[in-house]
Amino acid sequence: MLDESLLDAPDALAHADHNGLLRGAAEAGARVRTALRHTAEAGITGLAPEGRPRAVLIAGSGAAATGVADLIAALTANAAPVTRLRPTGVAAAAGALRWTLPGWAGPVDLLLIATTEGSEPGLALLAEQAYRRGCTVVAVAPRQSPLSEVVGGTHGLMVPMATAPNGQYGQSTQNGGNGGNGTYGQAGEPGRSGLDEWYEPEATPVTGPGALWALFVPLLALLDRVGLLTAPAETLQLVADRLDRTAERCGPAIATYSNPAKTLAAELADSLPLIWTEGPAAAPAGRRFAAVLAELTGRPALAAELPEALPAHSALLAGHFAGGAADPDDFFRDRVEEPQAWRARVVLLRDRPAGGLTAAPAARELALGHDTAISELEPEEGSELEALAELIAVTDFATVYLALAGAAPA
């Protein structure tokens, strides 16, 4: 059960947040700025490539690296083939994982390595294999890691991963001093929302929600330089600004009734989320939402793109998880001993204008026709990357609130 009273108790949320998940979500904008600085220092913004790579290969371990691979594949789908190298091994442990280049990989291909650990021997071996094959290798990993020593300077280009910056949690506003608006302070200044009073700096885990952007931004800048997508520094600065504004709206000090992330968390209590997406940016955001729900809350969720989601999930809406599956007129059934029934709830993520060609009306009709509630998120106007950033930020905050309020299934 979701303890909704906890959502509007910032101090209680802080007490429950032992792993610094709220801070990890709040610092996403600051991570983008730090990653941009590391990217420039590594020389990526000054690259003058002679042409596009034939194919892009991506390898890494952990949820953040998996999300980065999916995002890059979605954003560059029309420019070059993107292949995620999936690890093999006897266990999901850094020392047991191994990656192998496909037989066709060679000098005209680009290998991207993203990891929040950098201690995986298999990734170091992969970088050495790619170097021998003549592949261009670019890695994003912690600065003091075995992988950085292998790649940096000899086997490829190494970009240090942006760690959580102390006191950098987004842009301040006029009311930031009292923490009432949920802001997180100007980049480089002390945070102004009260979060700095809740957590010691070392309490923020490197692998929190902000880790995605620490890995993603340098690779976006690289792919912009080689012509596979459009992500200049100016656009990435706008992404950081969008993440800051979203953190202001979704912060722990903002009441549920005006907080889209807390509202979504409350709506998903005791439900099976069916995440339906429409638009190129919404699709990877929806898959990430399903992944972090499972990782942080233990809650299963199903993600699918419209219009294919309609036939794929129609049986779920009509079956055991249907909104009207329970008989409300069965007055004599035992409600005390009866376990809480899960009901499907559609979460519609969109990144295209409502006035364009859309399957959203059909999605609403199908859901409501089966007495299934529907939640909708649509970002403000802006670039594709800004829309993607807003959707990820809102759903990250919602997942954290679900985790902290005890919404994991029994």
Side-chain angles (χ1 to χ4, degrees):
M1 295 292 292
L2 178 71
D3 183 1
E4 293 192 33
S5 65
L6 189 65
L7 294 178
D8 288 324
D11 290 336
L13 283 171
H15 182 72
D17 191 5
H18 304 295
N19 295 316
L21 296 175
L22 278 172
R23 168 162 282 194
E27 71 194 9
R31 288 281 190 106
V32 170
R33 295 186 181 91
T34 306
L36 279 173
R37 186 174 69 251
H38 289 180
T39 300
E41 292 171 352
I44 285 182
T45 55
L47 290 177
E50 298 179 356
R52 293 183 176 186
R54 176 183 62 178
V56 178
L57 307 169
I58 307 176
S61 64
T66 301
V68 166
D70 188 27
L71 290 168
I72 289 177
L75 293 173
T76 62
N78 297 324
V82 177
T83 301
R84 180 192 167 207
L85 304 181
R86 299 181 183 273
T88 59
V90 296
L97 297 176
R98 293 292 182 270
W99 290 261
T100 303
L101 284 177
W104 48 263
V108 293
D109 301 314
L110 172 63
L111 172 64
L112 306 178
I113 301 176
T115 173
T116 57
E117 295 187 23
S119 60
E120 305 91 340
L123 288 178
L125 293 173
L126 177 69
E128 293 175 351
Q129 182 186 13
Y131 176 73
R132 291 193 300 269
R133 295 265 199 100
C135 297
T136 300
V137 180
V138 178
V140 184
R143 188 185 300 271
Q144 303 297 330
S145 64
L147 181 64
S148 67
E149 297 177 2
V150 170
V151 176
T154 56
H155 289 67
L157 181 62
M158 177 69 202
V159 182
M161 177 183 168
T163 55
N166 183 25
Q168 299 183 2
Y169 302 104
Q171 304 229 349
S172 62
T173 62
Q174 294 179 350
N175 297 326
N178 60 15
N181 61 1
T183 59
Y184 301 91
Q186 195 71 269
E189 299 179 0
R192 300 180 180 177
S193 68
L195 276 178
D196 285 336
E197 300 174 4
W198 294 354
Y199 302 104
E200 295 295 329
E202 64 271 20
T204 305
V206 174
T207 56
L212 173 82
W213 297 101
L215 299 178
F216 189 33
V217 168
L219 300 182
L220 280 176
L222 172 70
L223 295 174
D224 173 76
R225 297 303 299 170
V226 300
L228 295 184
L229 50 76
T230 302
E234 297 78 11
T235 297
L236 295 177
Q237 289 287 356
L238 292 175
V239 167
D241 294 341
R242 179 70 67 94
L243 289 169
D244 287 342
R245 292 198 301 272
T246 307
E248 293 174 4
R249 295 165 50 215
C250 298
I254 303 299
T256 300
Y257 67 85
S258 60
N259 187 319
K262 289 183 179 180
T263 298
L264 180 58
E267 291 172 345
L268 291 180
D270 306 312
S271 71
L272 172 67
L274 303 181
I275 303 167
W276 295 353
T277 64
E278 186 171 55
R287 290 190 290 269
R288 171 176 165 79
F289 188 23
V292 295
L293 277 171
E295 180 186 18
L296 298 183
T297 73
R299 174 181 298 271
L302 300 175
E305 299 180 43
L306 291 176
E308 290 88 350
L310 304 182
H313 291 171
S314 60
L316 285 170
L317 299 182
H320 177 70
F321 295 102
D327 183 3
D329 298 325
D330 185 3
F331 181 81
F332 295 102
R333 77 178 189 272
D334 188 346
R335 291 172 171 80
V336 175
E337 299 296 334
E338 181 181 87
Q340 180 69 37
W342 278 34
R343 297 288 175 260
R345 185 180 188 98
V346 171
V347 180
L348 180 58
L349 305 183
R350 305 179 63 223
D351 68 349
R352 61 178 56 180
L357 183 63
T358 173
R364 298 186 189 102
E365 182 179 358
L366 178 63
L368 298 178
H370 289 89
D371 296 322
T372 299
I374 184 169
S375 303
E376 298 191 38
L377 289 179
E378 186 171 339
E380 300 174 359
E381 293 185 3
S383 67
E384 183 179 33
L385 283 174
E386 289 177 85
L388 176 66
E390 182 175 337
L391 291 174
I392 289 177
V394 174
T395 52
D396 275 357
F397 268 104
T399 304
V400 170
Y401 288 130
L402 275 169
L404 298 182

